[in-house]
Amino acid sequence: MDTLWTDFVNSEWHDWRGSGRSENRLVLTAWQDAFLDKWKLEAPVPAMGQEIDEMQTFRRHLHRLAAELAAGGSISQTDREWLNTMMAPGLVRRHLDGDEQAMRLFLSPVGNDWRQVMAEVAADFAKTLLEGESLRIRICENADCKWVFYDDTRNRTKRYCDDKMCGNLMKVRRFRARKKAEMKKET
């Protein structure tokens, strides 16, 4: 399951195949456009230098919090205060929609800058915490990948961001390591 906050955190991409290559997609105009469009947010593109710096700092902090939760930790009071600070600039407009049987309250961002975007990302992360879903936050066990993901499996045992990519790669690596160890024993 893709969430706003995981999509933002994963803008720091690492080659899951082990080449050591990485890419800071946060600075790419094409990534910014696609991200804003996907999540129906508005901000000037391309983001400017100071905005990029703030977003990178924000991303690092959010990744650290996700890693702590994935390791079984919890959010400290200082981290809660930081999240509140990040959400503060995020003004929203509320409106009711639907019929009597299926009314919903919608919150629409009022601002159209990168601080509003970060506030929405922080709010999405906070929503994950409030819904008790922090136990489902994972970091891919492929050390080359480092992808943050939400474990949407029933038994909460997902180990890789994608079973077909990282999962298969790690299975092949384990198989080859076993075969190599067996060959060494035979010699």
Side-chain angles (χ1 to χ4, degrees):
M1 180 172 96
D2 203 15
T3 62
L4 172 60
W5 74 268
T6 58
D7 199 13
F8 185 85
V9 168
N10 290 329
S11 63
E12 184 172 1
W13 176 84
H14 300 275
D15 184 8
W16 56 276
R17 293 166 294 218
S19 72
R21 208 172 56 96
S22 64
E23 182 177 78
N24 179 9
R25 294 180 173 170
L26 195 59
V27 301
L28 303 175
T29 302
W31 182 89
Q32 293 170 15
D33 275 330
F35 178 80
L36 293 172
D37 185 54
K38 178 179 180 178
W39 298 104
K40 309 293 184 242
L41 297 169
E42 294 180 25
V45 175
M48 294 295 126
Q50 183 177 347
E51 293 168 323
I52 294 288
D53 292 343
E54 289 173 10
M55 287 190 290
Q56 289 179 138
T57 300
F58 173 65
R59 180 181 62 194
R60 274 191 304 276
H61 199 121
L62 205 53
H63 191 280
R64 182 188 61 77
L65 291 179
E68 286 178 16
L69 291 169
S74 61
I75 298 293
S76 71
Q77 179 63 34
T78 303
D79 293 328
R80 283 193 295 268
E81 290 169 6
W82 175 79
L83 273 172
N84 286 332
T85 301
M86 294 309 299
M87 289 186 289
L91 303 176
V92 294
R93 179 175 294 118
R94 295 163 184 83
H95 78 273
L96 201 56
D97 199 5
D99 58 23
E100 289 181 25
Q101 286 78 30
M103 269 194 262
R104 291 187 57 209
L105 181 64
F106 289 91
L107 304 176
S108 304
V110 174
N112 58 356
D113 59 15
W114 287 102
R115 287 181 189 245
Q116 177 75 43
V117 170
M118 288 188 289
E120 294 303 315
V121 170
D124 191 55
F125 182 78
K127 182 179 168 193
T128 300
L129 298 176
L130 289 172
E131 292 174 351
E133 299 298 315
S134 61
L135 296 174
R136 292 184 177 271
I137 296 172
R138 304 276 186 273
I139 297 188
C140 185
E141 287 189 20
N142 175 358
D144 296 317
C145 179
K146 302 175 185 153
W147 204 258
V148 175
F149 66 96
Y150 178 87
D151 180 0
D152 57 358
T153 61
R154 188 181 326 191
N155 57 1
R156 298 179 182 168
T157 57
K158 191 171 180 178
R159 297 171 53 196
Y160 303 106
C161 63
D162 187 311
D163 290 334
K164 290 177 181 69
M165 292 171 22
C166 286
N168 281 345
L169 177 69
M170 298 310 291
K171 186 176 179 179
V172 168
R173 285 181 181 171
R174 285 190 306 271
F175 174 78
R176 288 179 179 165
R178 264 193 322 273
K179 288 297 179 186
K180 189 175 182 178
E182 288 172 8
M183 289 179 73
K184 282 185 178 182
K185 284 182 183 179
E186 291 174 6
T187 57

